[in-house]
Amino acid sequence: MIAAAFAALSDILRPEFRAVLWKSIGLTIALLVVVWLALESFLVWLVDTGSWPWLATAIAILTGIGLLIGLGLLVAPVTALFAGLFTDEIAGLVERRHYPQDPPGRDLPLGQSLLGTLAFTLVVIGVNLVCLILLLVPGVNLVAFLIGNGYLLGREYFEAAAVRFRPREEARALRGRHGPTIFLAGLVIGLFVAIPIVNLAAPLFATAFMVHLHKRLTGSLPAAS
């Protein structure tokens, strides 16, 4: 697993991955900015400060802090959303570079990929809303964030890598046989997502990581460089 993680880190810095990286970062930033502006506009409309400008300033500061925390927790759902857009492209790059001796994976039909991504994104949003509520309990939020996202991100990204080579039922069975390893890999992804700025590259890292892990768990080793 450690070797797979380092291989994925090396991959996302390679020139051929940069185009996908910039697309992922651009879309992530754009979506977060839209969410930020929409929430800020809604709060300004909702709260009537009247002739008390100091109250408007206080509300702006407090809501700004709350929005920063909330948007920080939204990074995981956003990366889940874009995972479906870039999974096949990133996986294909990793497979061709490191495993040219193996048959190439099969790209999922666009409709199937988008439906699966949407369902997964909604689940991740639910988990992170629970984490946001648990901010009131010191120390619990970080644990909930890592465990919840570790399980979900590990499951989703591993199955996305596995279904390129086998039916989804077989991919789930394979995930079940290697559950502890995949959960630990998901925790690594969760830690990656928790690092500000760095987490913008999370879809690339997570996909490359799970492609490497899937190959290793099924007995395929990378070709010599």
Side-chain angles (χ1 to χ4, degrees), residues 98-204:
H98 295 280
Y99 309 95
Q101 73 280 7
D102 294 346
R106 175 182 60 87
D107 291 355
L108 292 180
L110 180 61
Q112 181 181 346
S113 176
L114 290 178
L115 285 175
T117 299
L118 179 61
F120 173 64
T121 302
L122 292 175
V123 172
V124 176
I125 289 174
V127 170
N128 282 274
L129 284 175
V130 173
C131 293
L132 185 59
I133 294 171
L134 290 176
L135 277 174
L136 299 174
V137 184
V140 172
N141 175 259
L142 179 59
V143 175
F145 179 88
L146 290 176
I147 292 177
N149 282 296
Y151 172 74
L152 290 170
L153 294 173
R155 181 190 71 180
E156 176 67 14
Y157 280 105
F158 182 81
E159 288 189 9
V163 295
R164 290 174 55 81
F165 297 92
R166 66 197 78 245
R168 186 166 295 276
E169 293 74 17
E170 292 183 16
R172 289 173 177 167
L174 180 64
R175 176 176 60 83
R177 290 196 297 272
H178 299 281
T181 298
I182 294 169
F183 174 69
L184 290 175
L187 289 180
V188 173
I189 298 173
L191 288 171
F192 197 96
V193 169
I195 303 173
I197 306 301
V198 174
N199 54 18
L200 293 174
L204 276 77

Side-chain angles (χ1 to χ4, degrees), residues 64-83:
I65 294 172
L67 287 172
L68 279 174
I69 296 171
L71 291 178
L73 291 174
L74 280 175
V75 169
V78 170
T79 59
L81 177 63
F82 292 135

Side-chain angles (χ1 to χ4, degrees), residues 5-137:
F6 279 110
L9 285 173
S10 176
D11 282 337
I12 65 175
L13 299 176
R14 297 185 187 277
E16 60 266 37
F17 286 79
R18 289 175 189 165
V20 184
L21 176 62
W22 288 120
K23 285 189 291 186
S24 174
I25 289 176
L27 287 171
T28 300
I29 292 175
L31 182 57
L32 291 178
V33 167
V34 168
V35 172
W36 177 289
L37 293 176
L39 288 174
E40 186 177 34
S41 298
F42 173 73
L43 289 172
V44 169
W45 170 81
L46 184 65
V47 179
D48 182 13
T49 57
S51 58
W52 298 315
W54 63 268
L55 180 58
T57 302
I59 291 174
I61 293 173
L62 292 174
T63 54
I65 294 172
L67 287 172
L68 279 174
I69 296 171
L71 291 178
L73 291 174
L74 280 175
V75 169
V78 170
T79 59
L81 177 63
F82 292 135
L85 300 179
F86 299 120
T87 293
D88 286 327
E89 185 175 358
I90 300 165
L93 288 171
V94 175
E95 290 163 9
R96 289 191 295 272
R97 178 175 184 85
H98 295 280
Y99 309 95
Q101 73 280 7
D102 294 346
R106 175 182 60 87
D107 291 355
L108 292 180
L110 180 61
Q112 181 181 346
S113 176
L114 290 178
L115 285 175
T117 299
L118 179 61
F120 173 64
T121 302
L122 292 175
V123 172
V124 176
I125 289 174
V127 170
N128 282 274
L129 284 175
V130 173
C131 293
L132 185 59
I133 294 171
L134 290 176
L135 277 174
L136 299 174
V137 184

